[in-house]
Each structure stands twice: as structure tokens, then as C-alpha cells.
């Protein structure tokens, strides 16, 4: 609100360029062509109207300090100056008086002290003594301290000192005038000594005859005798403060009425303020209305008259009679508070703010401001649209590509676009992209993702392979690599040529506009994205086309990253699967089922193996290499190959793990020598050997989870198998546990990915595994299926290897055993017994070869071995002949010379048997040979 003092209720709405403005301009410039301007302090300075040069800064500052805005301020400043001058004069007079008094006091005290010491008893006698200093120095110092002077010096008539406060100056010449004192007078003088400004007096010491026999001098600095001024200065300052307070109170009483009437302004200032306010009021681009308490218009500036189209005589009339729209007129007449209320006045949207004028004691009425918000609202709408698009692009940056899955990334793009940008969105990718490859010469795409505001749209469904015709917008985008806009699908013949029946259904459904954007990653086109509009009647425009290109460009980077990851992951999985067993070997000791599931995040190093051993035995291996990726897969292949080789030696499980541990240690050393960044290999392993003849299973593990055992009655247990350290640590031995298993028992071997997870520890995982095994069926296949259904998470973070082996026992009638005495004649008995048993088994065809093999093996055992000697023949998938003896000497195959009488036995065995070899036992060795069954 603009308050104008001494103004009547009506006024003219003349413009600032009229006569009033010109008269104000003349008054403002003054008689000599100088323009008055207001300074920040409220005063006015003058500028030359033509030259534009300002007065020097020093003159302006002086004038600003000496002139006041009001008479009351001038009187107050004058009184303050007078009081300050009086205070300065009083302090100066006090200083001069104090200086005079200090000097006079110093003269009197120095003369009195000098005369008193000169006339003191014993002074004259001491001067005539042989050692005057020894007598006078203590007296002079005592007198000096008692009287408060700075020094008392006794000297002879030549001015040589006998005493002094500083002993090093005794015996030196006195500094000062002594001639008048030698004549019997008194000398008083002011000098600047080493201790400051001082007054010193020199008096004579006379004998009874009036002859001067010595001199005494006393001195004191003037600062030690002052102090009167210090007591008088607070009184002077207090009187000055009282005078200043009285001056302030008097000025306040005089100026109070003036301030009330003029509001602190002088006549010229009030005139200039009114002219400035009047000019500003009519120059602002915001309408201002002042309405009285009776509802009459008191003032309307130029902008208000333009916005409301008021008549020329509007001021003074009631607002309800001005022809305004009812809502606006009612608001102005009511005087109620309004904040940014929007009113439609003809073709403009006006934001109205209204406040009462009598809040702080002003006259009754209200003031209203009008602001044209038509263009602002249009601009705000465009800004809001731009903000929404920026938000969508930001959400695309953080919401698309959360996983490295091509299909899921395409779905995230479609979900983001609907319904914020389009009503329907489809993503079509080449099949090679879905598999991680590059599309080369492909013409068909596959619908990978689809999203819409409704589910019944007649668009191609997800999974459909589509071959776009050359005239379709999608085909043009794929061919040119540029986005295509089809604002009106009903009149787009190239799009209709794709499928006349389906396109007609799409148009009938209400979809009327289309944008197609190719998914480009550099120069590679991965597919095409289609945005469809049906709910909004306006078609897509050029700005939305640019937005669609930006959105798809950001998504294409994520899809390409997912494609590359898919390719690398497929390569790693292919490598890993090539290193794992593709088929299990034939054997009769165990019924085996297995599962291997790679991790979703990356390829790991889990592996398993089934290895047939001599004597119808079978070895089971499960291992896990720490880490993921190609390095883990390659390390797994090396360890699996090593286990194959070590198992050919037919070693006990603990010895095999020891060799494997040494191998892992050497791998670490080799990789560390190649570079410090080479990862350290860590692995766990479980190795078990099952013998179907004795039903004994020997197990050893190196940092691996324990096996689970399902008894034939369904009871689940985790056998106590000693846990050795992980492979590669070295230094600690491994232990073997032997378990006797009933036929039909199921041995469950697995890796830690089955029982460990980020959300649970291994103990909880083992209990869950126990429950799954208790509910599993009786076959190994059913056991694998049940375990994976209950244990495996939706997206495993680690590889899972599962091996279930159901035990079998070799029938007793398929086993033949004989003890052989250490006598060469016993070889014939062995041949006869074997021939008889082979006849019972129906293997007469193998009689000759078996007799020859056993004859050579038993003869070697008798000749080179030691008792006891034991022969065992097993009927399994092959015919197995075994000869046991207690010697650790291993026979070896060699070629005998023409003149050698022996050395051909093992050569014959190797020729007749399919496989043969030696394995060691705690009690000796076993030489075995296998023959295929006819």
C-alpha cells in the first residue's frame, strides 16, 4: 500500500509525462540545473545536470556529516559538538595544571631531601674520614628509600661521587651544575636523565667556619610525584556524560512532535518522495487498486486500468459499478484476504492478491494487486512438461539395466515408457542378440517385451517372431538406423502393408499414432522399439520423437551391455560344461544321479566326477574352486584332470588329497610369479571310494561340506568325516573315514552353493537339506529333484553340484576266493579251481586265458612275493582276477631277450587282459587283470 499524506479521496490518473511530472522535474533539478538524488543515509546531494561530474568525495562526506535530515537532528549534533569541546578543554587544562604541580612538587622535595641529608649529623664528619663511601653509601640508600626520591648523591668539592644507587657509578664525575653550590648557594634544575624527565637539587655541606667541604644532590622524576590529574579526570568525564544526556533529552522533547507530524522527513524530501512513488506506481507491470472501506475505488494505476479495461472516470466510483465480471467485483468489494486467486477477465487469467489497509492503524479499505498469468501459465506448462521428460530420462538412467539380462532390460524399457510416454510400448530384438551374438544379415526379429495400459491390445504377443515388410516403419528404422514418426496410422499405407487384418484391428482398437526407434549400440542395430498412442487424442510430435530417441539411446547401452555379458557368460558356461563329465561311466557298484547348475551372476569352479577303479570299486569326487569366471573354470579343469591321473594310481583318499593339495600350491606359486595381481587359487574337495564287495566306503575331505547319508529306512545322517584344510594351504595331513554302507543306502555329495547363502549360514542350510532328504523319494533322480526344488533359490549366487549315489553289493555267488600256499605245485590247483568256477558261471571261453593269467600272477607271487598269498576272481561287467601278497615289490613289464629263460609272464598277461595293474594295500599289494565278458 502507498500512503499519501494530506491527499483527498480522489485523484487524477494523469501519466508521469504530464504537467505534474514536468513541474516535479523542474523542482527536482533546482534553479541552477542541479539534480537532487537521495543518499543511503536519507540526505540529498547535488549533481551537475549537464556535465555529470560529481563533487569530490571529501566535500560530499563533510557536507553529509554536517547537515541533518531534520532540524531536530541539527540541534542535537550542535549540542554534542559543544559538549565534546568542553570536555576536551577541561582535560587539557587538567593536564597542564597537573604537569605544573608535578614539577613544583619535585623541586620542593628534592631540595628538602638534599638539605636534610647535608645537615644530618655525621655527614660532615664522614666527608673528612678516610673512607667516606663506606659510611655515607648505606645512609644515602636508607634516606632515598625513606623519602621516595630516585637518588641521593654525596660528592666532594670536585664533583666526584661518594654515593650513588648504582655502585658502579661511585667515583665518577657528577653530571649537573655544581658551581653555585660551591659558592654556598642551592642549585635546582630540570634535566632528561636515563630514567626520564627529572628534577635534581644540589646543596653544599659547610663546616662550622662556613667553608664548603662537600655537596649533596637529590633528584626525583616528575612521574613519581603526579596523580592529582588521575583523580580529577573521572569527575570531568562524568560531568561531560551528564551534559550529553541532558542535551539528548532536550533534543528528544523538541523533535518528538516534529517526527510525529513529518514522519522524519523534511518538506523537500516529502515532495520528492511523493513524485518518485507516483512515477513508480504508474510504471510497474503489475496492477494496483486501492479500495476504500465503502467499496469505492480510490486509486488504479496504469497497469490495473489496462488489465481490467476500466473507464476513464473509474476513480471515486463503486467497484460494483465498473462493469467487472461478478467474481472479480465481489472480491474487490468484500475486502477479504486473497492470495494468488485466479480470475478469468475476458481472455486473460489474472492472479489477484488482496490485503486490508487498516492492519497497523491505517485507514479502512483494501489494496489489491493484479498479475497477468496467462503467458506465465503457458510457460509453466511447458516447463512442467520438460521437467517430466527430464525425470523420465533420469529414471531411465537408473531404472534400465539393473540386471545383465537382455530380456529383463527390454522389459524395464517398456515398463518405464508406459504410461508416462506412450500407451503401449513393444521391444523387438534379433534372436542373435538374445543369445549374446551380433545380428548379421538377420531379417526377422522376436517380440521380447510388451507393455500397455490394457492387456487386450491386438499387437503381436511376446515371443512371436516377426518379419517386417520393407514399407513398415519398423523396417525403415532397422534399415536406416533413424527414428520414424507415423502421426496418423489410419492413413499410413506402408504400415498397413505389414498385416492388413491385424493393422485394421489396431486402428479399430484406438491406436492412432506410432514412433519407431532403432536400438543402436554404435554402428550395431540390435532391434527396434515401438511406441503406440491411443488414450491421448493428439498424435506424437517432433519433440516427442526426440525424447523417444534419447530414451531408446540410453536403453540401448544397457541392452548392449547385457548382450555382451550374455555372450561372455555363455562362453564361460560352455567352457565349464566342456570340462565337466558329459556322461557317467558304466559301473555296477552305484546307481547315480547328478545335477549341475551354474550361478546366475557368473561361472564358478564346482565339479564332480565318477571314476571306476579296479576290483569293481568306484570313486566319487565333488570339488569347488573359490571364485567365479574363466579363471575358476580353467582351474577346475586342471584339478579334475589331476584327480583322474591320481585315481589311476589307486591311492587311498587321504593320500590323493595330499597330492592334490601339493598341486594347488604349485599352481599358486606359478601364477604369483607371473604377476602380483594373479588371484590365489583356493579349492575344496571330497573324495570317496566305494567297494561293492566289502560295502566299505572310504571318505576324506579337504575343507568341503560333509556328505549326507540316507539309510534304506529313510533316516538321514551326516557322517562324522574329519574336515581337513582347504587345498593349497599345505602343512596339515588329511584323514580317511571308513563307513560300512548297507545295500540301498544313498550317499549325497554336494557343494556349498546348495547349503550356504547370504541370508543363512551353513548350519541352517544343513538342517534344511536334512528335511529335504527325508521327504525325498527312494531313487537318486527323485532325491536330486526334491533337493533342488526345496533348497535352490530363484537366482543362485553360486554354482551348485549335487551327486546322489545309491549303493549296491556284489552278490556272493559272483565272488570266488582261494588261499594259495607258498609252493609252486599249488599253481595247478589254482588253475583247476578257476576252471571249475568259470564253468559254473558259463564262461568256458575265458578258461584258457584266465588259467594262463592266474598261473603267471601266482607264480610271480610265490617266487618274488611273501605269504600270505590270496587269489580272488570277481564276476562283474568284466571278469576280474586278483592276486594278493604281503610284498610291496611291484612287477613291471619288460621285453625279454631271445636267450632269456624268463621275463615273459607279464607280457602274456598284458596281451590277454583288457587292463591290468597293481594297487597297494596296508598289508601288501594286489596285482589285477580284467577281461571283457564274451
Amino acid at each position: 500500500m502507498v500512503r499519501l499524506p494530506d491527499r483527498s479521496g480522489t485523484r487524477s490518473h494523469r501519466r508521469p509525462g504530464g504537467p505534474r511530472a514536468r513541474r516535479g522535474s523542474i523542482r527536482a533539478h533546482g534553479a541552477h540545473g542541479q539534480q537532487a538524488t537521495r543518499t543511503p543515509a536519507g540526505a540529498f546531494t547535488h549533481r551537475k545536470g549537464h556535465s555529470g561530474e560529481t563533487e569530490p568525495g571529501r566535500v560530499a562526506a563533510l557536507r553529509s556529516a554536517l547537515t541533518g535530515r531534520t532540524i531536530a537532528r541539527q540541534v542535537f549534533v550542535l549540542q554534542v559538538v559543544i559538549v565534546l569541546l568542553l570536555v576536551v578543554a577541561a582535560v587539557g587544562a587538567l593536564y597542564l595544571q597537573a604537569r605544573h604541580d608535578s614539577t613544583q612538587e619535585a623541586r620542593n622535595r628534592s631540595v628538602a631531601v638534599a638539605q636534610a641529608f647535608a645537615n644530618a649529623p655525621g655527614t660532615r664528619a664522614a666527608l673528612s674520614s678516610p673512607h667516606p663511601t663506606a659510611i655515607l653509601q648505606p645512609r644515602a640508600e636508607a634516606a632515598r628509600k625513606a623519602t621516595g626520591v630516585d637518588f641521593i648523591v654525596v660528592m666532594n668539592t670536585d664533583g666526584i661521587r661518594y654515593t650513588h644507587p648504582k655502585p658502579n657509578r661511585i667515583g665518577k664525575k657528577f653530571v649537573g651544575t655544581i658551581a653555585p653550590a660551591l659558592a654556598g648557594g642551592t642549585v635546582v634544575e630540570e634535566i632528561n636523565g636515563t630514567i626520564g624527565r627529572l628534577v635534581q637539587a644540589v646543596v653544599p655541606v659547610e663546616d662550622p667556619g662556613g667553608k664548603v667541604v662537600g655537596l649533596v644532590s637529590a633528584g626525583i622524576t616528575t612521574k613519581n610525584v603526579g596523580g592529582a590529574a588521575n583523580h580529577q579526570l573521572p569527575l570531568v568525564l562524568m560531568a561531560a556524560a551528564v551534559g550529553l544526556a541532558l542535551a539528548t533529552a532536550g533534543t528528544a522533547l523538541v523533535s518528538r512532535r516534529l517526527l510525529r507530524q513529518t514522519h522524519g522527513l523534511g518538506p523537500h524530501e516529502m515532495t520528492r518522495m511523493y513524485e518518485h512513488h507516483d512515477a513508480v506506481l504508474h510504471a510497474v507491470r503489475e496492477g494496483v487498486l486501492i479500495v476504500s472501506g465503502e467499496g469505492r475505488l480510490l486509486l488504479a494505476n496504469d497497469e490495473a486500468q489496462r488489465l481490467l479495461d476500466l473507464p476513464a472516470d473509474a476513480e471515486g466510483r463503486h467497484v460494483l459499478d465498473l462493469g467487472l465480471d461478478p467474481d472479480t467485483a465481489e472480491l474487490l468489494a468484500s475486502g477479504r484476504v486473497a492470495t494468488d486467486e485466479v480470475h478469468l477477465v475476458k481472455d486473460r487469467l489474472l492472479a489477484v492478491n488482496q490485503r486490508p489497509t487498516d492492519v497497523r492503524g491505517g485507514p479502512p479499505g483494501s489494496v489489491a494487486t493484479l498479475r497477468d498469468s496467462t503467458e506465465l501459465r503457458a510457460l509453466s506448462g511447458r516447463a512442467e512438461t520438460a521437467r517430466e521428460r527430464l525425470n523420465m530420462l533420469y529414471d531411465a538412467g537408473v531404472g534400465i539395466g539393473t540386471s545383465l539380462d537382455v530380456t529383463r532390460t527390454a522389459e524395464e524399457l517398456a515398463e518405464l515408457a508406459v504410461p508416462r510416454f506412450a500407451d503401449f510400448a513393444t521391444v523387438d530384438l534379433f534372436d542373435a542378440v538374445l543369445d549374446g551374438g551380433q545380428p548379421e544379415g538377420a531379417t526377422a526379429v522376436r517380440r521380447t517385451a510388451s507393455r500397455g495400459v490394457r492387456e487386450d491390445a491386438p499387437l503381436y504377443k511376446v515371443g512371436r517372431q516377426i518379419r517386417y515388410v520393407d514399407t513398415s516403419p519398423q523396417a525403415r528404422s532397422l534399415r536406416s538406423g533413424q527414428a520414424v514418426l507415423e502421426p496418423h496410422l489410419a492413413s499410413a499405407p506402408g504400415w498397413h502393408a505389414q498385416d492388413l487384418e491385424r493393422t485394421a484391428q489396431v486402428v479399430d482398437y484406438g491406436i492412432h499414432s506410432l514412433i519407431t526407434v532403432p536400438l543402436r549400440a554404435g554402428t550395431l542395430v540390435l532391434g527396434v522399439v515401438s511406441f503406440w498412442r491411443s488414450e491421448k487424442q493428439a498424435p506424437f510430435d517432433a519433440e516427442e520423437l526426440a525424447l523417444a530417441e534419447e530414451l531408446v539411446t540410453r536403453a540401448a547401452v544397457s541392452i548392449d551391455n547385457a548382450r555382451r555379458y550374455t555372450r561372455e557368460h555363455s562362453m564361460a558356461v560352455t567352457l565349464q560344461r566342456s570340462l565337466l563329465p558329459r556322461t557317467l561311466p558304466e559301473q555296477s557298484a552305484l546307481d547315480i544321479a547328478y545335477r549341475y547348475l551354474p550361478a546366475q551372476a557368473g561361472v564358478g569352479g564346482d565339479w564332480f566326477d565318477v571314476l571306476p577303479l579296479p576290483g569293481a570299486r568306484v570313486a566319487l569326487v565333488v570339488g569347488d574352486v573359490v571364485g567365479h569366471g574363466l579363471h575358476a573354470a580353467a582351474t577346475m579343469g586342471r584339478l579334475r584332470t589331476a584327480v583322474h591321473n591320481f585315481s589311476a594310481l589307486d591311492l587311498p583318499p587321504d593320500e590323493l588329497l595330499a597330492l592334490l593339495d601339493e598341486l594347488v600350491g604349485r599352481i599358486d606359486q606359478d601364477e604369483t610369479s607371473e604377476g602380483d595381481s594373479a588371484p590365489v587359487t583356493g579349492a575344496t574337495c571330497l573324495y570317496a571310494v566305494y567297494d561293492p564287495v566289502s560295502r566299505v566306503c572310504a571318505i576324506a575331505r579337504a575343507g568341503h561340506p560333509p556328505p549326507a547319508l540316507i539309510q534304506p529306512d529313510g533316516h538321514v545322517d551326516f557322517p562324522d568325516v574329519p574336515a581337513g584344510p582347504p587345498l593349497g594351504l599345505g602343512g596339515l595331513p588329511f584323514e580317511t573315514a571308513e563307513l560300512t554302507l548297507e545295500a540301498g543306502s544313498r550317499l549325497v555329495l554336494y557343494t556349498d552353493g546348495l547349503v550356504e547363502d547370504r541370508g543363512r549360514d551353513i548350519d541352517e542350510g544343513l538342517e534344511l537339506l536334512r528335511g529335504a532328504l527325508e521327504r525325498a523319494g527312494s531313487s537318486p533322480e527323485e532325491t536330486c529333484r526334491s533337493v533342488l526344488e526345496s533348497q535352490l533359490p530363484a537366482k543362485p549366487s553360486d554354482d551348485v553340484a549335487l551327486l546322489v549315489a545309491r549303493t549296491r553289493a556284489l552278490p556272493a555267488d559272483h565272488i570266488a576266493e582261494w588261499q594259495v600256499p607258498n609252493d609252486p605245485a599249488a599253481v595247478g590247483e589254482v588253475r583247476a579251481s578257476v576252471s571249475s568256477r568259470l564253468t559254473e558261471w558259463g564262461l568256458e571261453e575265458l578258461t584258457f586265458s584266465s588259467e594262463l593269467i592266474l598261473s603267471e600272477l601266482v607264480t610271480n607271487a610265490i617266487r618274488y612275493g611273501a605269504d600270505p598269498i590270496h587269489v580272488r576272481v570277481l564276476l562283474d561287467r568284466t571278469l576280474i582276477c586278483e592276486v594278493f601278497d604281503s610284498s610291496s615289490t611291484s612287477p613291471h613289464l619288460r621285453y625279454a631277450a631271445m636267450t632269456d629263460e624268463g621275463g615273459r609272464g607279464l607280457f602274456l598277461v598284458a596281451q590277454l587282459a583288457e587292463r591290468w595293474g597293481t594297487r597297494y594295500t596296508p598289508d601288501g599289494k594286489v596285482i589285477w587283470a580284467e577281461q571283457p565278458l564274451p
Side-chain angles (χ1 to χ4, degrees):
M1 171 184 175
V2 179
R3 176 181 258 175
L4 304 177
D6 299 331
R7 290 278 295 171
S8 62
T10 62
R11 61 157 288 165
S12 172
H13 55 277
R14 286 175 292 181
R15 303 296 186 265
R20 174 181 300 175
R22 289 195 294 272
R23 289 197 301 271
S25 175
I26 294 173
R27 289 196 301 271
H29 282 77
H32 300 286
Q34 294 179 343
Q35 182 180 354
T37 58
R38 181 182 296 274
T39 65
F44 289 86
T45 60
H46 290 79
R47 295 185 304 178
K48 293 185 179 181
H50 302 286
S51 63
E53 297 179 356
T54 61
E55 297 182 357
R58 182 179 301 174
V59 177
L62 181 61
R63 178 173 299 175
S64 176
L66 296 179
T67 58
R69 189 174 62 178
T70 63
I71 297 176
R73 177 175 293 181
Q74 295 176 2
V75 173
F76 175 71
V77 171
L78 179 60
Q79 291 181 352
V80 170
V81 171
I82 293 174
V83 172
L84 292 178
L85 290 176
L86 291 176
V87 172
V88 171
V91 172
L94 180 62
Y95 172 74
L96 294 176
Q97 181 65 36
R99 183 175 182 182
H100 177 267
D101 292 346
S102 299
T103 304
Q104 188 62 37
E105 174 66 20
R107 294 171 66 90
N108 294 337
R109 185 181 299 181
S110 60
V111 171
V113 172
Q115 289 178 350
F117 194 82
N119 297 325
T123 301
R124 186 173 59 251
L127 289 172
S128 60
S129 66
H131 301 286
T133 298
I135 300 173
L136 294 176
Q137 176 69 12
R139 295 181 181 180
E141 285 301 302
R144 180 182 66 81
K145 295 178 181 178
T147 58
V149 297
D150 291 310
F151 65 86
I152 297 177
V153 176
V154 182
M155 68 196 85
N156 60 14
T157 56
D158 294 329
I160 303 302
R161 299 188 185 99
Y162 289 148
T163 67
H164 195 280
K166 296 182 179 179
N168 60 350
R169 297 187 181 182
I170 297 175
K172 295 182 179 180
K173 185 81 173 172
F174 175 74
V175 179
T177 304
I178 63 174
L182 292 175
T186 300
V187 180
V188 179
E189 58 182 346
E190 297 182 16
I191 64 173
N192 291 321
T194 58
I195 60 175
R197 183 75 178 175
L198 58 85
V199 177
Q200 65 181 8
V202 181
V203 298
V205 180
E206 300 176 347
D207 59 5
K211 180 183 178 181
V212 176
V213 296
L215 301 175
V216 176
S217 176
I220 186 172
T221 56
T222 56
K223 67 178 182 179
N224 290 335
V225 296
N230 296 334
H231 298 289
Q232 296 176 5
L233 184 59
L235 181 61
V236 173
L237 295 178
M238 185 178 298
V242 172
L244 186 60
L246 292 176
T248 302
T251 304
L253 293 176
V254 172
S255 62
R256 182 175 181 182
R257 185 170 180 82
L258 291 175
L259 292 174
R260 185 184 302 118
Q261 293 181 351
T262 65
H263 298 284
L265 300 175
H268 296 289
E269 293 177 343
M270 293 180 62
T271 301
R272 292 188 178 93
M273 182 193 71
Y274 168 75
E275 291 172 348
H276 294 165
H277 287 186
D278 188 68
V280 171
L281 182 66
H282 292 282
V284 295
R285 292 296 305 275
E286 188 170 295
V288 179
L289 297 174
I290 299 179
V291 182
S292 67
E294 295 81 12
R296 295 186 177 276
L297 181 63
L298 299 180
L299 182 144
N301 68 346
D302 296 345
E303 185 69 8
Q305 295 206 15
R306 184 182 71 84
L307 295 176
L308 298 178
D309 195 16
L310 296 176
D313 59 345
E315 293 186 359
R317 296 172 56 182
H318 202 282
V319 294
L320 297 178
D321 301 332
L322 299 179
L324 303 175
D325 66 281
D327 292 340
T328 306
E330 186 275 331
L331 173 62
L332 297 176
S334 65
R336 62 182 175 83
V337 176
T339 302
D340 288 336
E341 286 192 10
V342 179
H343 291 262
L344 179 62
V345 178
K346 295 184 179 179
D347 59 343
R348 296 184 178 274
L349 292 173
L350 302 183
V352 182
N353 289 274
Q354 184 167 268
R355 296 292 185 274
T357 58
D358 57 354
V359 176
R360 298 182 178 178
S366 61
V367 58
T369 59
L370 311 174
R371 185 174 66 255
D372 189 358
S373 63
T374 306
E375 297 179 357
L376 180 62
R377 286 184 175 271
L379 180 62
S380 176
R382 290 195 296 270
E384 180 66 21
T385 302
R387 186 185 65 83
E388 291 179 356
R389 292 178 178 179
L390 288 176
N391 288 339
M392 185 169 62
L393 292 178
Y394 171 78
D395 293 341
V398 299
I400 299 177
T402 58
S403 66
L404 292 174
D405 182 79
V406 176
T407 302
R408 179 54 193 157
T409 305
E411 292 173 351
E412 290 172 346
L413 171 60
E415 292 171 359
L416 178 70
V418 178
R420 298 172 65 176
F421 177 69
D423 298 316
F424 298 91
T426 58
V427 181
D428 304 326
L429 299 177
F430 291 105
D431 288 336
V433 174
L434 296 174
D435 297 332
Q438 296 184 4
E440 297 179 359
T443 57
V445 294
R446 189 172 300 276
R447 179 62 48 87
T448 307
S450 178
R451 186 78 173 184
V453 294
R454 296 191 300 273
E455 300 294 336
D456 56 346
L459 300 174
Y460 291 122
K461 300 303 180 182
V462 174
R464 169 78 176 270
Q465 191 177 41
I466 308 170
R467 189 179 300 274
Y468 288 109
V469 299
D470 294 339
T471 59
S472 65
Q474 291 86 353
R476 284 184 287 161
S477 294
L478 292 172
R479 185 171 57 253
S480 65
Q482 302 295 326
V484 175
L485 170 63
E486 287 288 354
H488 305 287
L489 289 179
S491 58
W495 175 71
H496 283 284
Q498 174 66 33
D499 187 341
L500 294 177
E501 181 179 358
R502 184 177 294 274
T503 54
Q505 295 175 355
V506 170
V507 174
D508 295 340
Y509 186 78
I511 298 177
H512 58 83
S513 187
L514 168 66
I515 290 178
T516 62
V517 184
L519 273 163
R520 297 182 56 186
T523 59
L524 186 64
V525 178
L526 307 177
V528 64
V529 182
S530 302
F531 300 101
W532 314 79
R533 174 168 286 178
S534 64
E535 300 291 332
K536 189 176 180 180
Q537 297 302 320
F540 287 117
D541 54 22
E543 293 184 359
E544 292 171 320
L545 178 65
L547 175 61
E549 289 180 318
E550 179 68 21
L551 181 63
V552 174
T553 299
R554 299 194 179 195
V557 176
S558 299
I559 292 179
D560 187 53
N561 289 339
R563 177 189 67 84
R564 294 173 182 269
Y565 173 79
T566 302
R567 180 184 61 189
E568 295 177 1
H569 186 265
S570 299
M571 292 173 56
V573 170
T574 302
L575 172 63
Q576 184 187 41
R577 291 193 179 277
S578 67
L579 297 175
L580 291 172
R582 300 184 180 182
T583 58
L584 296 181
E586 295 182 356
Q587 45 82 33
S588 304
L590 298 170
D591 292 331
I592 296 177
Y594 66 93
R595 295 289 188 277
Y596 182 84
L597 298 175
Q600 294 291 330
V603 175
D606 294 12
W607 92 93
F608 66 93
D609 230 327
V610 178
L611 306 173
L613 298 178
R617 296 170 302 129
V618 178
L620 302 177
V621 188
V622 175
D624 183 6
V625 176
V626 177
H628 295 84
L630 293 177
H631 180 269
T635 304
M636 177 267 290
R638 297 172 69 177
L639 296 182
R640 180 170 178 256
T641 302
V643 171
H644 270 266
N645 295 333
F646 293 153
S647 65
L649 301 177
D650 210 344
L651 299 174
D654 55 341
E655 295 183 15
L656 186 142
L657 291 182
L659 293 176
L660 202 61
D661 177 65
E662 183 179 355
L663 173 64
V664 173
R666 287 201 303 270
I667 293 175
D668 287 341
Q669 292 178 0
D670 295 340
E671 293 183 348
T672 304
S673 62
E674 294 177 1
D676 295 336
S677 61
V680 176
T681 303
T684 64
C685 182
L686 186 147
Y687 186 80
V689 177
Y690 175 69
D691 187 353
V693 178
S694 62
R695 294 183 290 107
V696 173
C697 182
I699 305 177
R701 61 189 179 111
H704 203 81
L709 179 62
I710 307 176
Q711 302 290 348
D713 59 358
H715 177 71
V716 178
D717 191 15
F718 292 95
D720 185 13
V721 178
L727 299 177
L729 297 182
L732 295 177
F734 299 95
E735 298 183 41
T736 299
E738 293 188 351
L739 307 176
T740 301
L741 307 180
E742 298 182 15
S745 300
R746 282 168 289 169
L747 189 64
V748 181
L749 309 182
Y750 52 90
T751 56
D752 57 357
L754 186 67
V755 294
E756 284 187 301
D757 196 3
R758 294 179 180 179
R760 64 172 184 247
D761 56 15
I762 189 171
D763 293 334
E764 183 181 356
L766 291 176
E767 290 301 319
L768 294 176
L769 177 61
R770 182 196 299 273
L773 294 176
E774 290 176 348
R775 297 187 300 270
S778 58
S779 68
E781 282 291 335
E782 294 176 349
T783 304
C784 288
R785 184 170 53 253
S786 176
V787 169
L788 293 184
E789 289 177 354
S790 60
Q791 290 287 105
L792 195 65
K795 293 183 177 181
S797 58
D798 195 5
D799 292 7
V800 174
L802 176 63
L803 189 65
V804 179
R806 184 171 58 185
T807 61
R808 293 179 180 176
L810 192 64
D813 56 355
H814 285 199
I815 304 172
E817 296 181 285
W818 300 277
Q819 292 292 337
V820 179
N822 192 1
D823 183 3
V827 175
E829 298 179 2
V830 171
R831 286 200 302 267
S833 301
V834 168
S835 176
S836 175
R837 182 55 62 94
L838 292 180
T839 301
E840 294 179 5
W841 290 342
L843 300 176
E844 291 84 355
E845 297 179 11
L846 300 178
T847 301
F848 175 75
S849 59
S850 299
E851 289 180 352
L852 183 57
I853 290 173
L854 287 177
S855 295
E856 293 299 332
L857 295 180
V858 171
T859 300
N860 286 340
I862 294 174
R863 182 176 299 179
Y864 305 107
D867 289 333
I869 300 173
H870 180 71
V871 174
R872 185 173 70 174
V873 179
L874 304 178
L875 177 58
D876 193 42
R877 293 180 177 272
T878 60
L879 182 64
I880 305 170
C881 299
E882 298 176 336
V883 177
F884 299 79
D885 70 81
S886 60
S887 173
S888 60
T889 302
S890 176
H892 59 278
L893 184 67
R894 66 185 179 87
Y895 290 93
M898 294 295 295
T899 58
D900 291 342
E901 296 182 358
R904 298 177 179 83
L906 287 180
F907 182 79
L908 294 176
V909 172
Q911 294 298 317
L912 296 174
E914 184 180 39
R915 294 192 311 159
W916 76 279
T918 304
R919 74 172 186 269
Y920 294 92
T921 66
D923 300 327
K925 68 176 183 296
V926 179
I927 303 177
W928 56 270
E930 291 184 3
Q931 301 176 75
L933 298 179

